Amino acid sequence: VDVEESAPTAAPPEERPIGYGRLKRKEDPRFVRGKGNYVDDVLLPGMLHGAVLRSPFAHARIVSIDTSAAEAHPKVKAVITGKTLEGLGLAWMPTLSMDTQAVLATDKVRFQGQEVAFVVAEDHYAARDAVELIDIEYEPLPAVIDARRAMDADAPVIRDDKEGRTDNHIFDWEAGDPEAANAVFERADVVVRQEMLYPRVHPAPLETCGCVASMDPVEGKLTLWETCQAPHAHRTLVAMVAGIPEQKIRIVAPDIGGGFGNKVGIYPGYVCAVVGSIVTGKPVKWMEDRSENLMSTSFARDYHMTGEIAATRDGKILGIRADVLADHGAFNGTAQPTKYPAGFFHIFTGSYDIEAAHCKVTGVYTNKAPGGVAYACSFRVTEAVYLVERMVDCLANELGRDPAELRMQNLLRPEQFPYENKTGWTYDSGDYPTTLRKAMDIAGYEQLREEQRRRRAEGKPMGIGVSFFTEVVGAGARKHFDILGLGMADGCELRVHPTGKAVVRLSVQTQGQGHETTFAQIVAEELGIPPEDIQVVHGDTDQTPFGLGTYGSRSTPVSGAAAAVVARKVRDKARLIAGAMLEVSPDDLDWEKGRWFVRGDPSAGKSIQEIALAAHGTLELPEGVEGHLEATTVYNPPNLTFPYGAYICVVDVDPGTGVVKVRRFIAVDDCGTRINPMIIEGQVHGGLADGVGMALMQLIGFDEDGNCLSGSFMDYLLPTALEVPDWELGYTVTPSPHHPIGAKGIGESATVGSPPAVVNAVMDAIGVRHADMPLTPSRVWHAMHGGVGAP
Ligand code: CDP
């Protein structure tokens, strides 16, 4: 349901969609015709296929590995084990959190599904068959599955590969001011405390992970087609890990079937495919199957949180505290900037004007798959938003207050921006009350509460859940944010060819977000060249400038800014050339979209296309201007951007079965200047579906021995069109003051903001303070009947 008409008509034109607005996506003709080109579509002459042998145990010592039967298979070309890799110095690789991860296990296996051997064969089926022929003797060890037991004195030490290790502790990290927080908690009238788990979930992109590695033995050049969100970072990491000179590595990320954080890291299968290509002298393809993807690639969340909120009797929130135990699995593979082992959990004070805050996070190893990636969110902000938005509802419950009204009382006010929060982050811009009011108007909030009272009287549980979230996206700046020491600034390159058609080259990597359309729109807006005349190039390190890739909704805040800046550089250069063409001083020229003209004489002007031709022609160029019309830039953002939104969810709960039906979902987002409203809506729709999924059905579960219980889509449930309602969207526009076009990110807002709205709605329906996600029928039923610990 499109309720865009209700957008603030008072917004000045420059705050409306830019660069042709609702342009249909340039990339879609190839997708709807089945002409997309994914990694698994790459076929090379003589290509071989790899398959991984994985551990059946969560924790076991490897006694022996016998590969002789596999090697004797007529179609097998190579069998690689940890021992083979040890010889090459590749048995272990660095993780994105400066830890180490086994590429193929040598000493022990540390989670079920861990990579133990790699077979290269003539075809995929032979590789899989030969994997079955490898004989491994394991000595099973007790496993640590519950993070709350990881630091017990008798817990087995998982990372005994690290010298001197005697426990499973990874890090302690804190933010805020503990004394100030204690002081407000002591004088508060009301303190509410609640434990909650943000369970382990998985990004589950429709395209699983994989690669094709092709080592050219003559040139010494490695080409790696990869499912990858950050090609340039991968090239540098491959150079560091494999010792291949960086200029001899080309990473190609073709069409990507969804990433959501799952394709940020480097997986052992990629390293094995490279080694396979080196040892066989042939290209090697490795694509994981669905179970491998769910069981062994980066999970998300797994935060055990205790929240505390302090307030006055009349509902003024004074302070928030959080204590978190973070389950990082067997290798610390979380994708976080080095300074922030708990990512952007700092934003746990949310959207409220409070006096003090403090949080502590402790990370531990367990015998589960490594990861902890930002699944459609910016580095742990999802966990933070869930915590604070659940805590505000717990407080409303304690005080007997309406949760929307309590939020309205405590939201930051527009005049407080830029606002420095209590953990040191400066929110760039916002008008929170207007956004919440708008969501309440679209929902018909008062009528909904009236309907709820009526239905309750009839014994029909209906719930209304509210959440208000502040996201934090756009990492850099490079001095604060990095991946493995690589700063998060983005390069961008723009060339206008003699006929006035342009090519813009990006370091970010679309995975379905529509960059080929929106980045053309940004350049079109700045130069007046129509978007169809602008080709967007990305996904190939030989073709694009360096940058850190796409995750945490950073494409628009960082590379989008770079695209605007580089287009402005070209525009400035065009001005000098237009001055020479018109034989006037460039200072006497004015710009209107697409042309420079003589001030006071609009008929005397030159279009950007005419200028481009002249720049490549025989015109005598002004002093200091080189020929051609092109520019490059590296954009290092001065701050993050802070998109936000108000969400309202309406649910009905079946009192007999505990089944939750999401009846309505109202989402009002503010992502600053909107480039393409249609793409924004698509991003929000996807994120809301994600949120309903996480709140109600998605869970990577384990039994007590560490067997993964969610290794297929029969057990790891994704929401379909049947489980989600027609979304009701609205928006407000509060541009970011420091972004060249005022845009903030949007890709992940809905995934971040929607789970607490759904959970708040279910708790509101059943009159229970808290039950953990996923709110499956069984959990809801048990919660309704006085127990919250149901499976
Ligand atoms: O980094 P990622 O592409 O995942 O997220 P994003 O920067 O939030 O952008 C997602 C998509 O929405 C891109 O195609 C953006 O250009 C588009 N977008 C937009 O049209 N207007 C905005 N203010 C923000 C994003």
Side-chain angles (χ1 to χ4, degrees):
V1 178
D2 184 353
V3 284
E4 196 170 311
E5 313 71 79
S6 61
T9 45
E14 67 271 19
E15 295 176 12
R16 307 251 179 84
I18 70 152
Y20 305 78
R22 285 181 177 274
L23 192 69
K24 282 194 179 163
R25 301 196 336 159
K26 293 173 80 171
E27 42 272 83
D28 283 349
R30 73 172 183 275
F31 293 141
V32 298
R33 287 174 172 84
K35 297 289 181 198
N37 183 36
Y38 297 88
V39 169
D40 207 15
D41 293 323
V42 174
L43 295 175
L44 300 178
M47 190 173 77
L48 303 173
H49 297 261
V52 175
L53 172 66
R54 295 176 182 278
S55 164
F57 294 104
H59 202 190
R61 199 160 296 287
I62 297 174
V63 179
S64 63
I65 303 182
D66 180 356
T67 58
S68 51
E71 279 159 7
H73 188 290
K75 288 187 171 178
V76 166
K77 299 292 174 195
V79 179
I80 298 164
T81 63
K83 281 270 170 290
T84 328
L85 296 183
E86 243 170 12
L88 300 166
L90 288 176
W92 292 81
M93 63 178 183
T95 70
L96 296 178
S97 284
M98 307 273 191
D99 193 4
T100 49
Q101 172 171 358
V103 177
L104 294 176
T106 47
D107 53 344
K108 285 201 309 192
V109 288
R110 293 173 169 85
F111 69 93
Q112 190 192 46
Q114 187 181 337
E115 299 78 1
V116 183
F118 188 77
V119 174
V120 182
E122 284 171 19
D123 63 62
H124 182 67
Y125 299 100
R128 286 270 167 156
D129 286 347
V131 155
E132 302 290 322
L133 300 175
I134 298 174
D135 191 15
I136 304 189
E137 192 186 334
Y138 292 101
E139 177 195 321
L141 299 167
V144 181
I145 303 308
D146 184 345
R148 292 166 297 186
R149 303 271 72 84
M151 293 298 291
D152 285 357
D154 59 350
V157 179
I158 298 167
R159 296 302 303 276
D160 50 357
D161 55 291
K162 292 170 168 251
E163 213 165 300
R165 265 277 158 191
T166 53
D167 62 24
N168 296 313
H169 179 261
I170 308 176
F171 66 85
D172 286 312
W173 175 85
E174 61 183 313
D177 182 339
E179 280 82 40
N182 290 347
V184 298
F185 271 79
E186 265 162 37
R187 71 180 158 82
D189 301 328
V190 184
V191 170
V192 181
R193 187 172 190 277
Q194 182 61 54
E195 287 183 21
M196 61 189 83
L197 169 68
Y198 207 128
R200 178 174 277 237
V201 291
H202 197 281
L206 280 189
E207 178 202 34
T208 58
C209 297
C211 68
V212 177
S214 179
M215 185 73 190
D216 179 336
V218 179
E219 299 288 336
K221 180 158 182 172
L222 171 69
T223 306
L224 195 54
W225 288 262
E226 266 190 314
T227 54
C228 167
Q229 297 179 221
H232 289 276
H234 275 209
R235 181 178 56 182
T236 306
L237 294 183
V238 171
M240 288 170 170
V241 172
I244 301 168
E246 200 165 349
Q247 83 282 9
K248 295 279 189 190
I249 301 170
R250 177 182 176 202
I251 307 281
V252 185
D255 288 325
I256 304 292
F260 313 108
N262 192 232
K263 293 168 182 168
V264 175
I266 290 186
Y267 294 116
Y270 301 176
V271 181
C272 290
V274 172
V275 173
S277 180
I278 292 172
V279 299
T280 61
K282 304 271 185 187
V284 173
K285 178 185 281 184
W286 168 72
M287 284 303 297
E288 65 188 7
D289 66 18
R290 178 60 56 196
S291 295
E292 293 180 290
N293 181 254
L294 287 171
M295 290 173 64
S296 72
T297 64
S298 298
F299 72 93
R301 327 292 189 231
D302 223 344
Y303 261 32
H304 297 258
M305 307 187 278
T306 304
E308 285 178 296
I309 190 163
T312 61
R313 176 71 45 208
D314 63 2
K316 173 82 189 85
I317 302 173
L318 301 173
I320 304 177
R321 289 195 292 221
D323 196 342
V324 179
L325 182 66
D327 184 339
H328 282 227
F331 308 103
N332 184 18
T334 61
Q336 320 286 1
T338 310
K339 278 189 188 172
Y340 306 116
F344 291 169
F345 190 77
H346 315 55
I347 315 292
F348 75 102
T349 58
S351 316
Y352 306 105
D353 180 21
I354 63 168
E355 290 179 24
H358 179 243
C359 73
K360 283 194 309 199
V361 181
T362 296
V364 294
Y365 291 117
T366 59
N367 288 112
K368 300 182 197 165
V373 288
Y375 160 16
C377 79
S378 204
F379 306 126
R380 304 286 192 188
V381 70
T382 316
E383 291 88 324
V385 164
Y386 181 71
L387 178 93
V388 64
E389 289 307 293
R390 278 272 55 236
M391 289 314 297
V392 172
D393 258 46
C394 291
L395 179 66
N397 179 292
E398 180 75 20
L399 295 172
R401 291 278 302 274
D402 178 89
E405 190 207 329
L406 185 65
R407 283 178 173 81
M408 198 60 102
Q409 178 187 349
N410 286 286
L411 282 178
L412 292 165
R413 294 177 309 282
E415 63 276 14
Q416 290 178 279
F417 290 88
Y419 171 77
E420 185 167 341
N421 84 346
K422 297 299 172 208
T423 51
W425 298 81
T426 305
Y427 297 7
D428 55 350
S429 61
D431 178 355
Y432 292 180
T434 300
T435 307
L436 179 54
R437 172 58 52 207
K438 190 160 183 178
M440 291 170 75
D441 287 348
I442 296 172
Y445 192 76
E446 299 309 324
Q447 295 92 301
L448 279 174
R449 286 287 174 206
E450 190 48 49
E451 182 191 348
Q452 184 183 36
R453 279 188 282 275
R454 245 186 4 254
R455 283 181 171 257
R456 273 199 182 143
E458 296 163 6
K460 295 177 182 160
M462 164 184 166
I464 304 158
V466 180
S467 75
F468 196 102
F469 68 92
T470 299
E471 244 269 62
V472 45
V473 303
R478 55 188 278 279
K479 69 175 177 192
H480 295 304
F481 306 114
D482 70 305
I483 290 287
L484 277 178
L486 301 170
M488 290 186 181
D490 284 358
C492 188
E493 224 178 271
L494 175 63
R495 261 190 235 166
V496 186
H497 293 302
T499 57
K501 317 288 182 193
V503 175
V504 60
R505 295 171 190 278
L506 309 174
S507 61
V508 281
Q509 176 59 44
T510 191
Q511 310 125 43
Q513 300 93 316
H515 290 179
E516 289 168 38
T517 310
T518 47
F519 280 81
Q521 289 181 263
I522 295 171
V523 174
E525 176 75 7
E526 296 296 331
L527 283 186
I529 297 175
E532 60 271 24
D533 287 350
I534 300 165
Q535 186 73 29
V536 175
V537 177
H538 58 95
D540 183 341
T541 53
D542 273 8
Q543 302 275 345
T544 56
F546 188 85
L548 266 258
T550 292
Y551 37 85
S553 287
R554 66 184 293 282
S555 303
T556 307
V558 187
S559 274
V565 168
V566 84
R568 287 174 192 178
K569 282 189 176 181
V570 165
R571 197 166 75 196
D572 290 345
K573 186 169 172 186
R575 179 185 203 158
L576 303 179
I577 298 167
M581 292 170 80
L582 294 161
E583 296 180 352
V584 295
S585 160
D587 294 342
D588 293 334
L589 295 177
D590 277 341
W591 173 258
E592 67 179 352
K593 211 189 238 182
R595 68 195 282 269
W596 285 107
F597 65 92
V598 179
R599 192 166 306 128
D601 181 9
S603 65
K606 292 290 175 195
S607 72
I608 193 79
Q609 289 83 357
E610 289 168 320
I611 299 168
L613 190 56
H616 291 83
T618 55
L619 173 80
E620 182 133 358
L621 293 167
E623 179 92 11
V625 178
E626 295 173 341
H628 305 172
L629 193 54
E630 59 194 39
T632 62
T633 198
V634 177
Y635 188 77
N636 185 32
N639 188 8
L640 300 148
T641 68
F642 293 78
Y644 58 91
Y647 290 175
I648 298 176
C649 176
V650 183
V651 301
D652 296 305
V653 178
D654 184 321
T657 62
V659 169
V660 175
K661 168 92 188 144
V662 179
R663 192 206 313 169
R664 289 181 67 194
F665 202 108
I666 296 92
V668 178
D669 274 279
D670 194 317
C671 59
T673 305
R674 293 152 59 85
I675 300 160
N676 185 324
M678 184 186 69
I679 287 182
I680 292 173
E681 286 159 14
Q683 295 286 296
V684 173
H685 286 183
L688 295 177
D690 259 346
V692 169
M694 282 184 280
L696 299 183
M697 57 187 80
Q698 289 176 216
L699 172 71
I700 298 287
F702 296 86
D703 70 11
E704 56 195 24
D705 296 323
N707 294 305
C708 180
L709 304 176
S710 320
S712 83
F713 282 160
M714 295 297 283
D715 299 304
Y716 189 71
L717 303 180
L718 297 184
T720 69
L722 293 179
E723 282 85 25
V724 299
D726 278 347
W727 312 111
E728 300 171 62
L729 306 190
Y731 70 94
T732 54
V733 177
T734 316
S736 169
H738 63 78
H739 187 283
I741 62 167
K744 305 180 178 186
I746 188 64
E748 305 177 330
S749 288
T751 316
V752 172
S754 56
V758 181
V759 175
N760 288 346
V762 177
M763 295 305 110
D764 183 52
I766 64 176
V768 169
R769 179 185 277 182
H770 180 77
D772 279 329
M773 297 187 287
L775 293 171
T776 56
S778 140
R779 280 226 177 127
V780 173
W781 191 91
H782 279 87
M784 288 167 86
H785 293 84
V788 289

